[in-house]
Amino acid sequence: MQFKKINNGDADFFQKTLGINNVLLDEESKQNYSHDETEDLKFLPELILKPSSVKEISSILKYCNEKNIAVTPRAAGTGLSGGALPVFGGVILSIEKLNRIIEIDDRNHQVTVEAGVITQVLQDAVKVKGLFYPPDPASKGSCFIGGNIAENSGGPKAVKYGVVKDYVLNLEVVLPSGEIIWTGANVLKNATGYNLTQLIVGSEGTLAVVTKIVLRLLPHPQFDLLMLVPFRSAIEACEAVNKIFMEGIIPSAMEFMERDAIDFAKQFIEVKNIPIADDIKAHLLIEVDGNDLEVLYKEMEKITNVLQQFDISEILFADTADQKNELWKLRRSVAEAVKSHSVYKEEDTVVPRAELPKLLQGVKDIGKKFGFKSVCYGHAGDGNLHVNIIKGEMNNEEWNEKLPLGIREIFQLCVDLKGTISGEHGIGWVQKPYMNIAFNPVQMNLMKQIKNVFDPNGILNPGKIFD
Amino acid sequence: MQFKKINNGDADFFQKTLGINNVLLDEESKQNYSHDETEDLKFLPELILKPSSVKEISSILKYCNEKNIAVTPRAAGTGLSGGALPVFGGVILSIEKLNRIIEIDDRNHQVTVEAGVITQVLQDAVKVKGLFYPPDPASKGSCFIGGNIAENSGGPKAVKYGVVKDYVLNLEVVLPSGEIIWTGANVLKNATGYNLTQLIVGSEGTLAVVTKIVLRLLPHPQFDLLMLVPFRSAIEACEAVNKIFMEGIIPSAMEFMERDAIDFAKQFIEVKNIPIADDIKAHLLIEVDGNDLEVLYKEMEKITNVLQQFDISEILFADTADQKNELWKLRRSVAEAVKSHSVYKEEDTVVPRAELPKLLQGVKDIGKKFGFKSVCYGHAGDGNLHVNIIKGEMNNEEWNEKLPLGIREIFQLCVDLKGTISGEHGIGWVQKPYMNIAFNPVQMNLMKQIKNVFDPNGILNPGKIFD
């Protein structure tokens, strides 16, 4: 792929279109927008644009499409697959100024927002009206809903409530041609033409730039109960996950953390009052929610009965809001904690839930074969295991040579177990060499042709998903 | 569109490929496969094929693609938008022989089925294992799951449990080229490439032929309660729908029936013990379900309290399984009953739930303007109102001239209310003249180009969705 470099004439056009303050050309800004949260990857953009309206985005895309300038759309830059990296330089199109909650339609249990609204801001705003938007990635305090749409994000509540795609009713998007369209309608059921909405969700900013989003909402559940369960065997913790579902219970969260994950997190954020005995190898963090406390206590009892079949230590029940927050803070900080501990590579494996023990065992076996350690944690109730491969004592040569081989075997195991290579982080820049494990040339060709329908000149987020 | 007519050589090829008994050429068969349940439309196919395997389907499509023969895939023929009509003659590709339930994976709460399995057969088979597949159209006793995928069907449970698209994890499909692919993976979360699965769901057999389906399942709820609520005003019945949701309750069914709908149904199937006073104008059929009877009684009480704000007559609570079946039989027979009563045209309108009173009032006003009556019923909790426009005393000339104008106004009203022109029946053959109300040329062009990616020669279900 070859793109035109940005010259003074281009910069002039952008400054006239957006106002001089919304076009950043300085080195510091280029550094700031050169990375997301994916390992330590950096690519310098030539210029950063901060449009304030869909009309401005339309003008930018039309111009870049005509001039063959690469455009990398960027939400909050919290992505973990390099989707927001400007790998061909060009323009960073930041949606940070599109941050209005346009309408909370509580009569219809819907909300319409601009794509740059922070996920937690959205959640808090609808909660005031008694409504609930469940999908919240660990980065919910900083990520944008537009980025969540791009990656079809999940988060801990997905096990009961589903992922982002299950809440998106309608999208306003700008095509690379500059044309602005809505993808569907604001309805719960739709059998009118092809599902363009679902095609855009998870397309990682390669088909169109999402500008407005209509989400369905639920009544907010009134109560939740939370417990932390220590296991003496990590494999047994994974086995317990499915046993609980087999009892007909659907928890609102079912999170798995290996010993190291929780240890790193405790060092990272200084958590009090969570003692962990030396023989504990893993934890499950289990939440149930609903509108009837009695029912929730019964569910907790049923879960506890299942857990007694396994080699567990004393369960910690979070009794207060503070304790619950502490436990969730711990869980949410795991990724950053592991990251700060060593050079690492994070994989976002996903398999059918009951295959989780096989996946965990396989990851450990593959690690032994290639000489690397891993710290695993994730959304066990969905079969979604984040595998953090740790460089630790490996030298650079070993790391660079063996890591891709090890990852390839892990992903092949996922696919053999009828899973796939990303559950919620996306393919972006770093996983695309592995796409041929999940898809054959016929499938890949369909996807590439769909890309070509939306973006015939290939200017939108080039270098992502496809090798 | 022009297609090659089928000659003896083609018939020979099909007979060799499928066996002589699976290729039907006789007049009676052509008549039998010339229609679905859409009004009284008939188009004769040139030949009917009944393949028994995905491989045979692959051979058929490859051949027809090379020879430019039109192929109309057909499930059970219960569709209401003419999706299975062979409008260009050619081949009917019936999936009726692909009727195996391949695996009920109760460990993972998943089922893998062939596309020709009857929806109710699937539901009953998984229920034996304590599992639940919620989407069931009124035709569940005869329709095929493959047809439900094609139309993204809903049914009464959609209000709480979602529609077909919310249960499809992965699809085996045959492309017009004959290539066989899976669209995704058997996982609850997936951020790996474009969502081909959701693109196929609801594409009405125009992109590929679905052969196998992996569905996620839920634990089957243990209890349900059902009530029939008579209203003295149809508009008030629609208003009550949203009031119930505003209390934070999500019923497992929330069905609306105008007086005439229930009267026709009672004549059609001879229902006992459901007396309806003369002043009743509409009914709501409301169900709640779950695993705790106490909770359900509380919900019913809350619903009853809401209903007291409206001008209702005595609520009928279904106390026994027989009574429940009777009420559901009544609801499910409405469509056929209305159909048997007069020449009619059924529309599948859908709007955001709270706009239902405006939609109903609008339909009646538009009817007055053009001189037609309508019988309305449907899945009120989803904002999905089936509008049966009745020919009644109108003469043919008036009917043919005014009907399209009236429909156009009804659909425009739906779109103005942020709804769309089909909630669960699809566009097929009969609604395509109205697609330009829901979509502008830019959106239509994207869809047509996607069609072209999958089916460059345009042999698969030609004449559907697009004008």
Side-chain angles (χ1 to χ4, degrees):
Chain A
M1 276 178 272
Q2 275 218 314
F3 298 97
K4 186 179 106 58
K5 291 290 145 195
I6 290 171
N7 61 29
N8 289 342
D10 303 324
D12 281 351
F13 172 83
F14 294 130
Q15 287 177 342
K16 263 184 217 145
T17 307
L18 305 182
I20 199 158
N21 293 330
N22 298 317
V23 181
L24 309 181
L25 286 153
D26 60 296
E27 270 319 300
E28 195 187 335
S29 298
K30 287 180 189 175
Q31 288 292 340
N32 290 343
Y33 288 84
S34 68
H35 60 88
D36 58 11
E37 294 294 322
T38 312
E39 287 113 37
D40 49 3
L41 294 168
K42 278 195 167 200
F43 294 87
L44 285 181
E46 294 164 60
L47 176 144
I48 298 105
L49 301 179
K50 299 187 180 185
S52 305
S53 70
V54 60
K55 228 178 128 191
E56 287 179 359
I57 292 178
S58 167
S59 301
I60 295 167
L61 288 178
K62 192 161 182 285
Y63 184 87
C64 293
N65 195 38
E66 281 165 8
K67 301 275 183 183
N68 192 36
I69 295 171
V71 178
T72 304
R74 182 186 172 92
T78 59
L80 297 169
S81 57
L85 299 174
V87 294
F88 289 96
V91 163
I92 283 276
L93 195 167
S94 169
I95 57 164
E96 65 200 86
K97 294 203 158 184
L98 278 77
N99 60 0
R100 288 184 310 141
I101 296 176
I102 296 169
E103 187 195 2
I104 301 175
D105 176 4
D106 54 342
R107 285 169 65 241
N108 281 304
H109 292 189
Q110 293 181 8
V111 62
T112 304
V113 291
E114 289 186 324
V117 171
I118 292 173
T119 305
Q120 187 163 3
V121 169
L122 165 65
Q123 283 190 321
D124 292 348
V126 302
K127 193 176 177 187
V128 171
K129 305 224 173 193
L131 295 170
F132 184 35
Y133 173 68
D136 55 354
S139 57
K140 69 173 177 178
S142 53
C143 64
F144 296 168
I145 182 71
N148 298 171
I149 302 279
E151 304 303 326
N152 190 17
S153 305
K157 305 277 186 192
V159 60
K160 178 169 178 180
Y161 292 104
V163 296
V164 167
K165 83 167 171 51
D166 301 309
Y167 291 86
V168 182
L169 298 180
N170 201 359
L171 296 170
E172 182 194 69
V173 304
V174 187
L175 302 174
S177 61
E179 280 157 320
I180 303 163
I181 60 166
W182 283 91
T183 55
N186 298 5
V187 287
L188 297 169
K189 302 166 84 173
N190 197 334
T192 313
Y194 300 151
N195 198 332
L196 298 180
T197 308
Q198 293 292 331
L199 188 59
I200 298 292
V201 176
S203 66
E204 310 197 39
T206 64
L207 298 180
V209 176
V210 175
T211 47
K212 292 193 191 80
I213 300 148
V214 181
L215 298 164
R216 78 180 180 98
L217 303 169
L218 298 173
H220 205 292
Q222 292 171 56
F223 307 105
D224 57 65
L225 300 176
L226 186 65
M227 61 172 156
L228 184 70
V229 190
F231 284 78
R232 295 196 182 84
S233 150
I235 296 288
E236 279 203 16
C238 288
E239 286 165 355
V241 168
N242 208 49
K243 275 275 166 73
I244 290 166
F245 285 89
M246 294 300 283
E247 291 294 308
I249 301 164
I250 302 181
S252 52
M254 171 62 89
E255 299 287 305
F256 169 82
M257 291 172 283
E258 271 197 293
R259 168 89 202 204
D260 286 349
I262 213 165
D263 275 350
F264 291 167
K266 277 178 73 179
Q267 290 161 27
F268 190 71
I269 57 161
E270 257 197 83
V271 176
K272 295 155 250 163
N273 307 324
I274 306 180
I276 307 178
D278 286 347
D279 59 345
I280 296 309
K281 295 291 192 303
H283 288 79
L284 291 180
L285 184 64
I286 307 174
E287 186 194 79
V288 292
D289 73 358
N291 293 322
D292 193 306
L293 258 182
E294 283 308 309
V295 171
L296 297 187
Y297 284 125
K298 275 189 224 164
E299 286 187 355
M300 276 305 216
E301 203 184 317
K302 264 176 125 175
I303 292 172
T304 311
N305 288 341
V306 174
L307 292 169
Q308 299 305 336
Q309 304 166 30
F310 296 92
D311 186 11
I312 62 169
S313 178
E314 203 174 335
I315 299 174
L316 177 69
F317 293 92
D319 286 323
T320 64
D322 271 359
Q323 280 184 326
K324 286 177 192 172
N325 285 338
E326 190 103 323
L327 284 177
W328 275 118
K329 207 169 101 188
L330 187 78
R331 168 61 190 90
R332 287 189 185 280
S333 67
V334 163
E336 272 191 276
V338 174
K339 190 170 170 172
S340 73
H341 189 264
S342 161
V343 171
Y344 74 103
K345 179 87 175 62
E346 179 167 7
E347 304 306 333
D348 175 36
T349 63
V350 60
V351 292
R353 183 167 53 223
E355 314 308 339
L356 206 57
K358 279 185 203 160
L359 176 61
L360 183 68
Q361 188 61 56
V363 166
K364 298 299 172 187
D365 292 346
I366 292 165
K368 264 185 208 144
K369 177 172 163 189
F370 289 100
F372 57 73
K373 290 205 168 156
S374 59
V375 183
C376 298
Y377 60 92
H379 314 298
D382 297 309
N384 185 199
L385 191 73
H386 299 316
V387 178
N388 271 267
I389 303 172
I390 304 290
K391 182 158 178 269
E393 309 296 307
M394 285 176 96
N395 65 41
N396 284 344
E397 205 180 324
E398 277 183 324
W399 177 250
N400 292 332
E401 187 198 322
K402 291 187 175 169
L403 184 66
L405 301 174
I407 293 172
R408 197 157 264 279
E409 285 203 16
I410 290 171
F411 283 158
Q412 188 60 54
L413 175 62
C414 292
V415 171
D416 291 345
L417 294 170
K418 299 198 185 292
T420 190
I421 71 173
S422 178
E424 56 177 19
H425 293 171
I427 299 304
W429 172 250
V430 296
Q431 308 300 7
K432 63 182 185 162
Y434 307 105
M435 275 290 268
N436 63 0
I437 300 171
F439 294 112
N440 65 30
V442 177
Q443 296 158 319
M444 288 302 291
N445 193 37
L446 280 178
M447 291 189 203
K448 282 179 190 168
Q449 285 188 72
I450 290 169
K451 162 76 175 172
N452 196 49
V453 165
F454 283 79
D455 182 21
N457 299 329
I459 60 143
L460 200 55
N461 214 0
K464 309 300 163 60
I465 302 182
F466 307 107
D467 227 353
Chain B
M1 276 177 270
Q2 276 218 313
F3 297 97
K4 187 178 104 59
K5 291 289 144 198
I6 291 171
N7 60 29
N8 288 344
D10 303 323
D12 280 354
F13 171 83
F14 294 129
Q15 287 178 343
K16 263 184 215 146
T17 307
L18 306 182
I20 198 159
N21 292 329
N22 298 317
V23 180
L24 309 181
L25 286 154
D26 60 296
E27 271 317 302
E28 194 187 336
S29 298
K30 287 181 191 175
Q31 288 291 341
N32 290 344
Y33 288 84
S34 67
H35 59 88
D36 57 11
E37 293 294 323
T38 311
E39 288 111 38
D40 51 1
L41 293 168
K42 276 194 169 201
F43 294 87
L44 285 183
E46 294 163 59
L47 176 142
I48 298 105
L49 301 179
K50 298 186 180 185
S52 305
S53 71
V54 59
K55 229 178 127 189
E56 287 179 359
I57 292 178
S58 167
S59 302
I60 294 167
L61 287 178
K62 192 162 183 287
Y63 184 87
C64 292
N65 195 37
E66 281 164 8
K67 300 275 181 183
N68 191 36
I69 295 171
V71 179
T72 303
R74 181 185 173 93
T78 60
L80 296 170
S81 57
L85 299 174
V87 294
F88 289 97
V91 163
I92 282 276
L93 196 167
S94 169
I95 57 164
E96 66 201 85
K97 293 201 159 186
L98 278 76
N99 61 0
R100 287 182 312 138
I101 295 176
I102 295 169
E103 188 195 1
I104 300 174
D105 177 2
D106 54 342
R107 285 168 66 242
N108 282 305
H109 292 189
Q110 293 179 9
V111 62
T112 304
V113 292
E114 289 185 326
V117 171
I118 292 174
T119 304
Q120 188 164 3
V121 170
L122 165 65
Q123 283 191 322
D124 292 347
V126 302
K127 193 176 178 185
V128 171
K129 303 223 173 192
L131 295 169
F132 184 35
Y133 173 68
D136 55 354
S139 57
K140 68 174 179 177
S142 54
C143 64
F144 296 167
I145 182 71
N148 299 170
I149 302 278
E151 304 303 327
N152 190 20
S153 306
K157 304 278 186 192
V159 60
K160 177 170 178 179
Y161 292 104
V163 296
V164 166
K165 83 167 171 52
D166 302 310
Y167 291 85
V168 182
L169 299 179
N170 202 358
L171 295 170
E172 182 193 69
V173 304
V174 187
L175 302 174
S177 61
E179 280 158 320
I180 303 164
I181 61 165
W182 283 91
T183 55
N186 298 6
V187 287
L188 297 170
K189 300 165 83 172
N190 197 334
T192 313
Y194 300 150
N195 198 334
L196 299 180
T197 307
Q198 293 293 332
L199 188 57
I200 298 292
V201 176
S203 66
E204 312 197 39
T206 63
L207 299 180
V209 175
V210 174
T211 47
K212 291 194 191 82
I213 301 148
V214 182
L215 298 164
R216 77 181 180 95
L217 303 169
L218 297 174
H220 206 292
Q222 292 171 55
F223 308 105
D224 56 65
L225 300 176
L226 186 65
M227 60 172 156
L228 184 71
V229 190
F231 285 78
R232 294 195 182 85
S233 149
I235 296 288
E236 278 203 18
C238 288
E239 285 166 355
V241 168
N242 208 49
K243 274 274 167 72
I244 290 166
F245 286 89
M246 293 301 282
E247 291 294 308
I249 301 164
I250 303 181
S252 52
M254 171 63 88
E255 300 286 304
F256 169 83
M257 291 172 283
E258 272 197 290
R259 168 89 203 203
D260 284 350
I262 212 165
D263 275 350
F264 292 167
K266 278 179 73 178
Q267 290 161 26
F268 190 70
I269 58 162
E270 255 198 82
V271 176
K272 293 157 252 165
N273 305 324
I274 305 180
I276 306 177
D278 286 347
D279 59 346
I280 297 307
K281 296 292 191 303
H283 287 80
L284 291 180
L285 183 64
I286 307 174
E287 186 194 78
V288 293
D289 73 358
N291 293 322
D292 193 305
L293 258 182
E294 283 308 309
V295 172
L296 298 188
Y297 285 124
K298 276 189 223 162
E299 286 186 355
M300 277 303 215
E301 204 185 315
K302 265 176 123 175
I303 292 172
T304 310
N305 288 341
V306 173
L307 293 170
Q308 299 306 336
Q309 304 166 29
F310 296 91
D311 186 12
I312 61 170
S313 177
E314 205 174 334
I315 299 174
L316 176 69
F317 293 93
D319 287 322
T320 65
D322 272 358
Q323 281 184 327
K324 287 178 192 171
N325 285 338
E326 190 104 324
L327 284 178
W328 275 118
K329 207 169 100 189
L330 187 77
R331 166 62 189 90
R332 287 187 187 282
S333 66
V334 163
E336 272 190 276
V338 174
K339 192 170 168 169
S340 73
H341 189 266
S342 161
V343 172
Y344 74 103
K345 178 86 176 62
E346 178 167 7
E347 304 306 332
D348 176 34
T349 64
V350 61
V351 293
R353 182 167 54 224
E355 315 308 338
L356 206 57
K358 278 185 204 159
L359 176 60
L360 183 67
Q361 187 61 56
V363 166
K364 297 301 172 185
D365 291 346
I366 292 164
K368 265 185 210 146
K369 177 172 161 188
F370 289 100
F372 57 73
K373 289 207 169 156
S374 59
V375 182
C376 298
Y377 59 93
H379 314 298
D382 296 310
N384 185 198
L385 191 72
H386 300 316
V387 179
N388 272 266
I389 302 171
I390 304 292
K391 182 158 178 268
E393 308 298 306
M394 284 175 96
N395 65 42
N396 284 343
E397 202 181 325
E398 275 184 326
W399 176 250
N400 291 332
E401 186 197 323
K402 291 188 175 166
L403 184 67
L405 300 175
I407 293 172
R408 195 157 265 278
E409 285 202 17
I410 290 171
F411 283 158
Q412 187 59 54
L413 174 63
C414 292
V415 171
D416 292 344
L417 293 170
K418 298 197 184 294
T420 191
I421 70 172
S422 177
E424 57 178 18
H425 294 172
I427 299 304
W429 172 251
V430 294
Q431 308 300 7
K432 64 182 184 163
Y434 307 105
M435 275 290 267
N436 64 359
I437 301 172
F439 295 112
N440 65 32
V442 177
Q443 296 158 318
M444 288 303 292
N445 193 38
L446 280 177
M447 291 190 201
K448 282 179 189 168
Q449 285 188 71
I450 290 169
K451 162 75 175 173
N452 195 48
V453 165
F454 283 78
D455 183 20
N457 298 329
I459 61 142
L460 201 54
N461 213 0
K464 308 300 164 62
I465 301 182
F466 307 108
D467 227 354

